[in-house]
Amino acid sequence: MTPGRLQAILQTIGARNTSIARDRVRCSCLLAQWTHPGAKDSTPSMVVFPEGRHGDPIYSCQACHRKGALRDLVCFLWHKTGLNMMNVIEALDGPDAPVKAPEGKEVKNPFLREKANRVAKLVRDGGAHEVYRRKRQTEDAPWHDKYAIAASDDVPEIPWEEYEPHLTEVMHPYAEARGIHLDTWLEWELGVDTRMRRILFPMRDHHGRLIAISGRLYEEKKCLRCGGDIITLAPVPPAKKGKQICGNCGKKPPPKYLHSKGFQRNVFLYGEHLLPNDSGTKLYVVEGHLDALALWQDGYRPVVATLGTNVGESQIERLVHYAAMPMRPMRIILVVHDGDEAGHSMGVMMKRMIAGRVPMFARPCPDGSDPAKMLQYERVKLLGEPWKRSVDTQLTMG
């Protein structure tokens, strides 16, 4: 994307004092109303780059130190101002809808050619499972993009022989401490990698094929290299959290989660292979593996996990597909997100992306908690009794 096209997109969402500097665009901070002293930005302090690490536009403000994906910023402005920015969201995601300028004139979608080039590159590189397009409502696809569901057929299957050695019928003490039952351990085929000190979660697609393996550390306070204790340093403003390092060797600890090479976690749903055979009237959506297991063993089924708060368009289309499957009653999508800022942003984003195509409600966990950390009676208080209709009368839009 050229800086000129990016400048035109920024002007459609109300950016002021825009100017092009080399390969980036500078403008007044779009978040000044909430983050700047005096609620204004007299000196243009926001810089927007055409392509970030994942190929999408990113922004960074040198005054309030806020940064992130431009798409998330648009969703935030939509939520705060109430202005309909669906055209801009669709432009960022790639459909052919035009972008509407503030004065009412239509501007040709500047993302169309770049998105087509990226799609072609993904196909050449063998990453066809990452290619998905959100279609308009037609007779062939009235509710969802069928390609988003069938795309997983292009993902190579992992031979079961590679994962089978990690299976064990004896549950790991960490899983037991997190409240996982033995029948849940066996049903979801969990395993243990003692060398990497991780609990393994096999990921299957809607055909039941093994397409990825995720691993979570079960010794978060110990260094894998030297066995030293992990310590947290004092935060350096404007950061809210301090960095974690090993107190012995001084190196950064490994990530909490690791996935199979090439796996895109915002494309598939964890627990998707159990959806076609489940007749539940509600479809529970959570963030992580342990959250899904906690709800499943308490009877809240079917349940899937998005594996993070950055929900992808393909995941949304899959949820819509499974909620409105032919020859079955319409399911209610019930999002049970964590009680933090990222969790609330996830709930708002999913509502915008589903856009009323199927019934969708959000149930936030208490502050600082998540479904896996909550006790059973707390989950019942939040969601009602499983397998009953009590929660249906409690649901309210919000």
Side-chain angles (χ1 to χ4, degrees):
M1 182 192 310
T2 64
R5 294 182 178 181
L6 180 60
Q7 183 183 24
I9 292 299
L10 291 174
Q11 291 174 350
T12 64
I13 59 176
R16 300 180 179 180
N17 302 323
T18 60
S19 61
I20 299 177
R22 296 183 181 178
D23 58 342
R24 62 202 69 177
V25 179
R26 182 177 292 273
C27 64
S28 297
C29 183
L30 293 167
L31 299 171
Q33 181 178 352
W34 302 278
T35 60
H36 285 236
K40 62 180 181 180
D41 183 17
S42 56
T43 303
S45 56
M46 177 171 283
V47 181
V48 184
F49 300 87
E51 290 190 4
R53 180 179 179 182
H54 300 287
D56 297 323
I58 60 174
Y59 72 92
S60 176
C61 180
Q62 300 173 350
C64 63
H65 304 286
R66 298 296 179 93
K67 59 182 179 180
L70 183 60
R71 189 188 191 282
D72 296 340
L73 176 60
V74 174
C75 290
F76 175 82
L77 295 175
W78 187 353
H79 173 63
K80 287 293 186 180
T81 63
L83 299 177
N84 191 339
M85 298 186 181
M86 179 57 76
N87 287 327
V88 180
I89 294 295
E90 290 180 344
L92 291 172
D93 288 345
D96 302 341
V99 181
K100 293 184 178 179
E103 60 273 14
K105 298 180 180 179
E106 290 190 354
V107 182
K108 187 176 180 181
N109 185 355
F111 293 86
L112 186 57
R113 178 173 298 178
E114 285 73 14
K115 192 75 173 183
N117 293 337
R118 286 159 56 188
V119 167
K121 184 177 183 299
L122 286 172
V123 173
R124 290 196 303 268
D125 295 343
H129 62 285
E130 302 179 24
V131 183
Y132 49 85
R133 296 286 301 275
R134 178 178 176 180
K135 298 180 180 179
R136 298 291 183 180
Q137 292 187 6
T138 62
E139 295 181 357
D140 296 333
W143 286 102
H144 63 278
D145 184 350
K146 293 183 178 179
Y147 184 74
I149 309 302
S152 62
D153 297 339
D154 297 331
V155 181
E157 182 179 4
I158 298 178
W160 181 250
E161 292 76 15
E162 295 185 9
Y163 179 70
E164 189 174 13
H166 301 288
L167 287 177
T168 173
E169 296 183 357
V170 180
M171 190 166 53
H172 193 272
Y174 175 82
E176 186 175 359
R178 294 301 301 267
I180 299 178
H181 301 163
L182 180 59
D183 56 345
T184 305
W185 176 277
L186 298 176
E187 178 68 22
W188 290 76
E189 303 173 316
L190 305 188
V192 180
D193 187 345
T194 56
R195 186 178 67 87
M196 299 298 295
R197 302 178 190 176
R198 294 182 182 272
I199 301 292
L200 301 182
F201 303 88
M203 186 96 172
R204 295 184 179 273
D205 63 1
H206 63 289
H207 293 303
R209 301 183 308 123
L210 182 63
I211 58 175
I213 301 173
S214 301
R216 188 193 193 282
L217 280 175
Y218 56 76
E219 289 187 3
E220 302 179 36
K221 298 182 179 180
K222 293 291 184 178
C223 179
L224 293 179
R225 303 177 182 88
C226 64
D229 295 332
I230 301 297
I231 60 175
T232 303
L233 303 178
V236 178
K240 297 181 180 179
K241 296 183 179 180
K243 295 182 178 180
Q244 290 187 334
I245 62 171
C246 175
N248 186 24
C249 63
K251 295 184 178 181
K252 184 179 178 181
K256 182 187 298 186
Y257 285 95
L258 283 179
H259 307 280
S260 301
K261 185 177 180 181
F263 173 68
Q264 299 293 324
R265 64 180 183 178
N266 63 344
V267 175
F268 299 96
L269 298 168
Y270 179 63
E272 184 177 351
H273 63 290
L274 299 177
L275 288 179
N277 300 325
D278 204 306
S279 58
T281 59
K282 291 178 286 293
L283 175 55
Y284 298 92
V285 182
V286 293
E287 291 185 26
H289 304 86
L290 295 176
D291 300 330
L293 299 180
L295 291 189
W296 186 86
Q297 67 184 11
D298 280 355
Y300 300 101
R301 308 175 186 176
V303 58
V304 294
T306 58
L307 305 185
T309 57
N310 185 22
V311 183
E313 187 72 19
S314 179
Q315 290 178 321
I316 293 296
E317 299 303 326
R318 290 170 184 273
L319 290 173
V320 172
H321 165 72
Y322 291 123
M325 293 184 67
M327 307 300 293
R328 289 191 178 184
M330 179 78 72
R331 283 173 173 168
I332 298 175
I333 296 180
L334 185 57
V335 181
V336 188
H337 57 76
D338 295 356
D340 53 13
E341 183 178 355
H344 288 283
S345 300
M346 169 186 169
V348 173
M349 180 184 299
M350 290 189 64
K351 288 182 181 180
R352 304 302 186 192
M353 297 174 73
I354 290 177
R357 289 180 286 170
V358 293
M360 180 263 180
F361 304 90
R363 274 287 178 266
C365 294
D367 293 342
S369 183
D370 58 56
K373 295 179 181 178
M374 298 171 64
L375 300 177
Q376 185 176 8
Y377 81 91
E378 293 177 324
R379 289 192 284 264
V380 172
K381 183 178 179 181
L382 179 67
L383 303 174
E385 291 288 345
W387 305 106
K388 293 186 179 180
R389 298 180 61 86
S390 60
V391 72
D392 295 344
T393 60
Q394 304 170 12
L395 291 175
T396 55
M397 280 288 189

